[in-house]
Amino acid sequence: MRSTGRTVTAVVGAALLIGCVSGPAASKGSAESSGSAESSGSAESSKGERVLVFSKTAGFRHDSIPEGIAAVKELGTAGGFAVDATEDGAAFTSRNLARYDAVVFLSTTGDVLNDAQQRAFEGYIKRGGGYVGIHAAADTEYDWEFYGGLAGAYFQSHPAIQPARIEVEDRAHPATSHLEESWNRTDEWYNYRSNPRDRAHVLASLDESSYSGGTMSGDHPIAWCQEYRGGRAFYTGSGHTKESFADPAFRQHLLGGISWATGAAQADCRPENGYTPLFDGTAESLSDWKQAGPGSFSLSDDGTLTSSGGLGMLWYAAGADDADDGGGFGSYSLKLDWKMASASGDDNSGVFVGFPASDDPWSAVNNGYEIQIDATDAADRTTGSVYSFQSADIKKRDRALNPPGEWNTYEIRVEGERLRVWLNGVKINDFTNTDPARSLRDGHVGIQNHGADDQVSFRDIRIKELPARAAAQGD
């Protein structure tokens, strides 16, 4: 809820319903390079982002490397970040690496850095640096444990170049938010020595039934991201062919990975396992949801729900009609992706938790809690707040929040009477219910459609039930 200049012709209670159901990387300085790096000549961005492309090979050399370097430079020119390119390991000094927000390992192979250069790069990552690995970056530095963990997995083998279908698992990350649920493309598809899923956040995986030669038993990640020892790491297995770097979808995939690695865009890159979809983008999955109050949500062809009219709420009602406990959830982690439409951020919505089954949205207002979506209201009524009860940590929220028009991810974790909120992987709120009229221990979840002037979209609503306990300790 918020105060605005809009005319509200309703009682005070309805006014409550209006709102309730409703960082960039720092500059790396200008120290001179200690290695031989070729500048792209692209203009410095206003935020000072600079990227180093490293393409040294000590094994097989991909003939697509020149196209890859040219593509990153073009992305930098269009995206407002400067790009240098080198094949000289001498560029890996603490002083020189401090100039860069991310280092792109472009189809590097074999042992490409000596011990001193490795130590400098480890220090760079531990101080918050970014890593982007493209294709054969996984065929690099097999005896360097730190690098193996950073890349996420090592190359094992590959079949012939052929078409395959990629299943996009995370459509909120900037590297994949432009894609449909399936992405068909031709490339050389790596098999990996281990599965990174338990350590990294998988963005996309190969459907091994769509091509020949997959060896990862049907769980075949091909792009992932992770926070690693203080830094950020993004890897994509695509990029073998020259044609990849002329493909607009792959270029956008690469740009999104670089933007996240530099800190110019935010996303939740914590490992994610064990979630069950409540809304998976299909009309069939909406059969378990009910609209309470006026307005509605429209479903687009890309699997996105967008609010329309209101004031109302779409809530998950599976089992609510016949289960003894009302079909609600107890201890759980709820994740969903959302974005606002207006450039000002003055759209309004929210996510309700802990309310009883009802076709009246007032049940959520009076008995539940809302995690707000609205970038323009007071601290306890803006994005990340437990609406009207507790503000988010605004500094952390502002660093984690992507601007209107871009996707964000909430994790809302309920354990006992404790409610915690993560925005793009950053914990921004930790609230404990002490109101005897409310309880988080058993209840439903819902999303708000706020009104005609507010459009907020949602994707991929999923839940993981957690062991029941009175209270959660730690993170």
Side-chain angles (χ1 to χ4, degrees):
M1 174 175 65
R2 61 169 183 244
S3 298
T4 70
R6 301 172 188 165
T7 302
V8 179
T9 56
V11 296
V12 172
L16 287 172
L17 185 59
I18 290 173
C20 292
V21 276
S22 32
S27 173
K28 298 295 182 180
S30 57
E32 293 182 0
S33 171
S34 61
S36 175
E38 176 192 352
S39 172
S40 69
S42 54
E44 293 279 359
S45 82
S46 61
K47 297 176 183 176
E49 285 111 0
R50 180 177 286 273
V51 170
L52 177 65
V53 179
F54 182 56
S55 54
K56 181 179 178 180
T57 55
F60 181 83
R61 184 169 182 85
H62 286 74
D63 64 4
S64 60
I65 286 175
E67 283 77 9
I69 294 171
V72 176
K73 289 182 176 181
E74 290 166 4
L75 292 172
T77 299
F81 57 89
V83 179
D84 298 329
T86 188
E87 298 203 348
D88 187 354
F92 282 71
T93 66
S94 296
R95 184 185 181 200
N96 188 52
L97 291 173
R99 303 172 62 217
Y100 297 101
D101 296 271
V103 179
V104 178
F105 278 60
L106 173 60
S107 283
T108 50
T109 53
D111 295 331
V112 291
L113 298 176
N114 64 31
D115 289 348
Q117 293 159 0
Q118 290 178 3
R119 287 193 298 271
F121 189 60
E122 288 188 20
Y124 164 77
I125 294 296
K126 291 175 180 178
R127 289 188 293 272
Y131 164 88
V132 173
I134 301 174
H135 193 57
D139 188 23
T140 300
E141 295 288 355
Y142 287 95
D143 296 323
W144 182 13
E145 180 274 336
F146 181 92
Y147 182 84
L150 180 71
Y154 282 121
F155 164 80
Q156 182 176 58
S157 64
H158 66 78
I161 296 171
Q162 59 190 298
R165 183 170 57 252
I166 297 172
E167 301 299 338
V168 181
E169 297 189 25
D170 183 336
R171 298 175 66 206
H173 193 284
T176 47
S177 62
H178 64 293
L179 299 171
E180 302 296 330
E181 292 177 294
S182 293
W183 185 19
N184 296 300
R185 62 182 317 272
T186 297
D187 215 317
E188 181 183 76
W189 303 113
Y190 277 6
N191 299 305
Y192 300 96
R193 296 184 181 187
S194 60
N195 191 319
R197 189 176 295 276
D198 289 340
R199 305 180 302 279
H201 181 78
V202 175
L203 301 173
S205 56
L206 285 169
D207 180 352
E208 289 192 333
S209 71
S210 70
Y211 73 105
S212 299
T215 65
M216 296 186 68
S217 303
D219 183 12
H220 195 142
I222 198 63
W224 54 81
C225 60
Q226 60 174 323
E227 305 275 354
Y228 185 79
R229 301 194 186 181
R232 293 183 173 200
F234 167 83
Y235 172 82
T236 179
S238 297
H240 172 86
T241 65
K242 294 180 179 181
E243 292 79 9
S244 292
F245 296 100
D247 175 8
F250 178 72
R251 287 166 68 101
Q252 184 63 39
H253 174 62
L254 187 55
L255 176 61
I258 292 171
S259 297
W260 178 79
T262 64
Q266 308 303 320
D268 187 350
C269 281
R270 296 171 298 162
E272 182 173 318
N273 294 293
Y275 284 80
T276 299
L278 301 183
F279 166 68
D280 63 7
T282 64
E284 291 77 13
S285 66
L286 283 177
S287 64
D288 289 326
W289 293 75
K290 289 184 177 181
Q291 178 69 31
S296 64
F297 282 84
S298 60
L299 176 62
S300 63
D301 291 340
D302 70 354
T304 298
L305 282 173
T306 301
S307 62
S308 177
L311 308 159
M313 180 180 60
L314 185 68
W315 62 287
Y316 187 73
D321 293 333
D322 47 27
D324 291 338
D325 61 1
F329 297 104
S331 292
Y332 57 90
S333 167
L334 176 72
K335 283 193 171 184
L336 49 82
D337 306 328
W338 59 268
K339 69 176 179 179
M340 293 182 288
S342 72
S344 68
D346 193 25
D347 289 302
N348 191 307
S349 184
V351 183
F352 270 99
V353 297
F355 59 92
S358 175
D359 290 331
D360 180 0
W362 281 98
S363 66
V365 175
N366 293 328
N367 299 287
Y369 287 104
E370 181 196 11
I371 294 80
Q372 180 75 339
I373 298 171
D374 176 2
T376 63
D377 213 331
D380 67 343
R381 301 169 184 230
T382 188
T383 299
S385 66
V386 180
Y387 183 81
S388 78
F389 288 91
Q390 182 166 292
S391 171
D393 183 318
I394 297 299
K395 289 184 179 179
K396 288 184 178 180
R397 191 282 308 273
D398 287 349
R399 288 195 295 269
L401 181 64
N402 286 320
E406 297 183 15
W407 288 98
N408 294 275
T409 299
Y410 266 160
E411 181 191 2
I412 300 166
R413 194 180 301 179
V414 173
E415 293 175 282
E417 297 293 353
R418 187 180 184 187
L419 186 162
R420 287 175 288 171
V421 181
W422 281 259
L423 173 64
N424 295 324
V426 176
K427 189 170 76 170
I428 61 170
N429 212 330
D430 190 338
F431 171 79
T432 299
N433 171 52
T434 58
D435 183 350
R438 303 171 189 258
S439 179
L440 288 163
R441 294 181 183 276
D442 185 28
H444 290 270
V445 300
I447 56 176
Q448 181 206 17
N449 55 295
H450 181 268
D453 294 324
D454 296 296
Q455 288 190 332
V456 177
S457 297
F458 296 88
R459 272 184 182 173
D460 298 333
I461 305 174
R462 62 264 194 206
I463 199 164
K464 177 168 67 176
E465 297 196 62
L466 304 173
R469 54 187 178 182
Q473 299 298 322
D475 290 341

